[in-house]
Amino acid sequence: MKIVIIGNGMVGYKFCEKMIAKAAPGTVELVVFGEEPRPAYDRVHLSAFFSGKTAQDLEMAPASWYIDNNIRLHLGDPVQSIDREHKTVHSHKGFTETYDYLVMATGSAAFVPNIPGVDKKGVFIYRTIEDLELMLDYAPKATTGAVIGGGLLGLEAAKALLDLGLQKTHVIEFASRLMPRQIDDSGSRLLQGKLETLGLQVHTSKQTTSIVGDDVITGLQFADDSILEADMLVISAGIQPRDELARLCGLEIGHRGGIVVNDQLQTTDPFIYAIGECALYNGMIYGLVAPGYEMAEVVTTHILGAHKAFTGFDMSTKLKLIGVDVASFGNPFTPADQCRSIVFEDTMKGVYKRINITPDGQHLLGGILIGDADAYNMLLQTAKNKVILPPNPEDVLLGARGGQEAAGAGVLGLPDDATICSCENVSKAAICNAVIDGHETLDAVKKCTKAATCCGGCAPMVKDLITSTMKSQGKYIRNVICEHFDYSRQELFDLVKIKELRSFDTVLDHYGHGEGCEICKPTVASILASLWNEMILAKGNDTAQDSNDRYLANIQKGGTYSVVPRVPGGEITPRQLMVIAQVAEKYNLYTKITGGQRIDMFGAHVSELPLIWEELVAGGFESGPAYGKALRTGKSCVGSTWCRFGPHDSVSFAIQIEQRYRGLRAPHKLKSAVSGCIRECAEAQSKDFGIIATEKGWNLYVCGNGGSKPQHALLLAGDVDSATCIRYIDRFLMFYIKTADPLTRTATWLNKLDGGIEYLRNVVVNDSLGIVAQLEAEMQVLVDNYRCEWKEVVDSPELRKRFSHFVNAPEEKDPTVQFENLREQKKAANWAK
Amino acid sequence: MSLHNTATINWFFACKVEDVPANGGVCVKYLDEQIALFHFPRRNEWYATQNLCPHRQQMALSRGMTGTQGGEPKVACPFHKKSFSLVDGRCLSDDTECALNTYPVKIEDDRVYIGIVNGRDTETVMA
């Protein structure tokens, strides 16, 4: 049987993938014609192209996949005509292919409204990688961008313009709100407010009448006579099904475009199918990828002789727009007389949630989530599966409050046929069965069922299902470190302490098996350092350290290292600055001020590290373990010594704190800061432990975090004196070090801690576990054992020997290292392609 | 592996046993090539591969962390933690990543020798 597929987009590709998987080997011959010059790529994540992904990263499968599966792929060769009588197609490059079945997956084109001036230079559409490359070329000339269309694609395009560096970007929407198909007016207002803080100007109820400019766009003219200046425009006003080929060969086309199909996705010619955005089913074009995949599934099944029908598709969607969660599910627009609505709006945090429920309060019909869409999967499944709502339906939106158990039973309460992964259409039963068959990790379940392999949004639900299914089989889920140690980090910490083990090898002998790996080695090394604070490169522990710790420096692009001396509290003398300047000039290092008030020197060859540190140590510097999961810095504002506001000397206290905990190793890095007054110039509330001066003493905040998931620190104790503050920090840090999982920052640790900050305060301040004396004593051991790691290496010929690139040519540097020039300094050469 | 048995192998002296850290690796210079050499004293085994990590083309594998996966010796690149089998060089964390070249190793009188297989280039091209 021979099948010709016209179109090599995401849906056309998915059809091939499904056909190869389902058909008996050698029974089906597939020929694909694609208009674009490259094989199918992930159009959903197109904007990732501007944040560093390459066209190759976006590929659905490499060109070799088609060869390996005997698929003949004609790229850059659109089909010109279809001869239905002889069942042949003719391509632009002159190929003729016969077919038994023809699958049209021609997709859609950007809809360009008939506005005078759309052909001017600087006007773009946003659809293919070629479109993006054109924008990329043009963007450096432009400063103000505009997008016509405030729908899903339009906002994606606006993000692209921001990513391209356009300082000002405007979004123009004809309707009275953004994303009119997905969200309501209140949701749109909130979204608009969020987007405006991110640099987008939103104009709703605006009709563009012409594009201004001679040859090149200079602005837009609107129906209300206003004018907007812009030198780059993206039109993203909707899609237009690519039905011209179908029209040409006489297939039925809808009034407003689209190839008419039946429940089997057959066109008016039973040997020709249409799938994806070119197909018009029941008067509707499905402009999302998930229904396209479902169509591919139906056609595959049907051609292979089994029965399956397309019955429409839920258009629920969840996405992150410029960092803002937006989701709509079920029917978010049920008329007010047919439902009751529960609305939650928090303009402080920028969260808007609305659910529509049946008048009897039994079922969820649909809703909208903006700013926080964590509950999307659960709500979608609750609506789709007509799960009976709890007595207080607002619980599904807000969570159970008060003493009652959480409403509903979460993912476990869903029926077996509930769809967990809507991209790949994987049911709850399929996932649970995979787990029962022995696929007990997320990776294994992904490989086996394909769930969570597309957008990944369902991964947390899949993980919950794995855990609950294993539990229901009586399997005890232990949070073990890896295949070499059947213990949690906390268990191993206690065992190593009791047995007084001091090297990775002895820990492996006592409690592990195999040779270890890149997960357990640094975990054990960190435990040893947190218990005994001995030189981390001694006792054979050097090869158990993570790469940066092993060389006491941070490996950077190209294989050179960066060097950061400690600058306690950010206070540095002119003389010390000169030492750094001399060293950096002598070894030609790129220098940069870090976020932690230190100076980073980049581009040192591994063999230069001991030489550099010899000079830094002689100049009075210590290592500032930027390379370790250890205390990094104690940042400070200038405080009462100079500042006319601050009540306390924040610099002195920051220095005292940083000196006390210098070199302290922990499950993850630790950052601290001290602010001299409530103005909080040192940003202490974003640190693992931060201190802010008050009129009466210090406020101690803990478990804050910057990074990808910023979290404010919480007040642990207020108005304490310096000695009490340090005692509380001792206890807090030691408790964290002893109980946290590997690579868990304090914020994540606290989020997982039963009882949260109240519990932590009870342990640390009220001594509810009766362990604070022990915690303080353990910390004192670490403080007393501190020695500068680099001073020890500089003084030890044996340790210095390890700092060479070639074992058999120790004086030679790695000849493959390359630098480029940038603003009178050097930088690492880019990754090779 | 069959090629190793039939083709002639030129052994060159890399370093002494004591030059290689236990449970770790070093980089050996051979002409213009860089070879990563690893010692597993618990199993009394030695392995050698190319030093270049094929993922981002970095000369870094000798500084990677060694270990095992299901008993198979491996090394994880320090840059992005891609793991490679030291037995046949294949990438254990990503099916689509290129495999490493591997080299035979022998120890004589506490001296480590790495074998260069004649016709190696042809083998690489054909692989």
Side-chain angles (χ1 to χ4, degrees), chain A residues 132-421:
Chain A
L132 267 57
E133 284 171 343
L134 292 173
M135 287 167 65
L136 208 53
D137 279 350
Y138 194 84
K141 289 178 248 168
T143 53
T144 305
V147 176
I148 296 183
L152 211 149
L153 281 171
L155 294 179
E156 276 282 321
K159 171 174 177 12
L161 290 182
L162 288 181
D163 285 346
L164 283 171
L166 272 73
Q167 300 289 328
K168 274 185 262 165
T169 293
H170 299 264
V171 174
I172 295 116
E173 170 58 47
F174 176 70
S176 61
R177 61 173 187 263
L178 292 171
M179 300 182 69
R181 283 158 184 258
Q182 284 89 11
I183 64 177
D184 59 7
D185 287 334
S186 307
S188 168
R189 268 197 303 278
L190 192 124
L191 177 63
Q192 187 172 336
K194 284 208 131 182
L195 296 179
E196 285 179 352
T197 63
L198 297 166
L200 284 183
Q201 286 294 318
V202 178
H203 312 265
T204 52
S205 305
K206 278 270 187 197
Q207 187 187 355
T208 313
T209 48
S210 71
I211 290 158
V212 190
D214 289 338
D215 215 14
V216 180
I217 174 174
T218 56
L220 287 84
Q221 165 94 49
F222 301 113
D224 60 7
D225 283 343
S226 59
I227 285 187
L228 175 72
E229 281 184 19
D231 45 15
M232 184 165 178
L233 171 68
V234 180
I235 297 180
S236 187
I239 57 170
Q240 178 80 42
R242 293 285 302 270
D243 54 16
E244 64 274 12
L245 198 54
R247 202 182 287 266
L248 204 63
C249 71
L251 298 175
E252 187 186 341
I253 304 293
H255 292 304
R256 292 163 60 194
I259 308 167
V260 174
V261 292
N262 63 15
D263 286 355
Q264 312 296 332
L265 286 320
Q266 283 165 310
T267 65
T268 39
D269 179 334
F271 296 101
I272 303 181
Y273 297 82
I275 57 178
E277 292 180 347
C278 65
L280 183 71
Y281 172 78
N282 219 356
M284 176 150 172
I285 297 284
Y286 287 81
L288 291 176
V289 71
Y293 284 5
E294 173 68 10
M295 291 179 184
E297 172 79 19
V298 170
V299 174
T300 310
T301 313
H302 194 243
I303 289 179
L304 293 175
H307 180 76
K308 191 171 167 88
F310 186 78
T311 53
F313 201 88
D314 186 80
M315 291 299 275
S316 302
T317 180
K318 173 187 158 186
L319 66 161
K320 229 185 182 53
L321 278 171
I322 324 181
V324 183
D325 276 344
V326 179
S328 93
F329 61 94
N331 185 352
F333 301 123
T334 310
D337 58 339
Q338 290 165 34
C339 74
R340 293 193 292 163
S341 294
I342 299 173
V343 176
F344 172 80
E345 185 166 359
D346 178 347
T347 52
M348 277 287 289
K349 287 187 180 149
V351 175
Y352 174 80
K353 299 179 180 185
R354 170 195 180 137
I355 53 172
N356 301 330
I357 58 179
T358 51
D360 61 5
Q362 293 269 304
H363 302 293
L364 182 58
L365 296 168
I368 296 161
L369 305 170
I370 293 167
D372 169 16
D374 286 355
Y376 169 76
N377 276 317
M378 271 313 304
L379 292 175
L380 171 62
Q381 294 306 326
T382 304
K384 267 171 112 170
N385 295 292
K386 298 201 164 50
V387 174
I388 304 282
L389 291 171
N392 298 315
E394 72 269 24
D395 287 357
V396 299
L397 207 57
L398 304 171
R401 288 140 297 124
Q404 296 274 311
E405 266 295 289
V411 64
L412 305 179
L414 296 175
D416 278 351
D417 57 357
T419 308
I420 301 297
C421 173

Side-chain angles (χ1 to χ4, degrees), chain B residues 2-3 9 11 18-19 31 37 40 42 44 52 73 77 84 88 91 93-94 102 106 112 114 116-117 121 127:
Chain B
S2 60
L3 198 56
I9 298 177
W11 296 96
E18 66 191 44
D19 294 332
L31 304 177
L37 172 68
F40 286 67
R42 302 173 81 92
N44 195 24
L52 185 80
C77 175
F84 297 90
D88 57 12
C91 184
S93 32
D94 181 352
T102 60
K106 70 176 180 184
V112 188
I114 297 176
I116 303 294
V117 180
D121 289 343

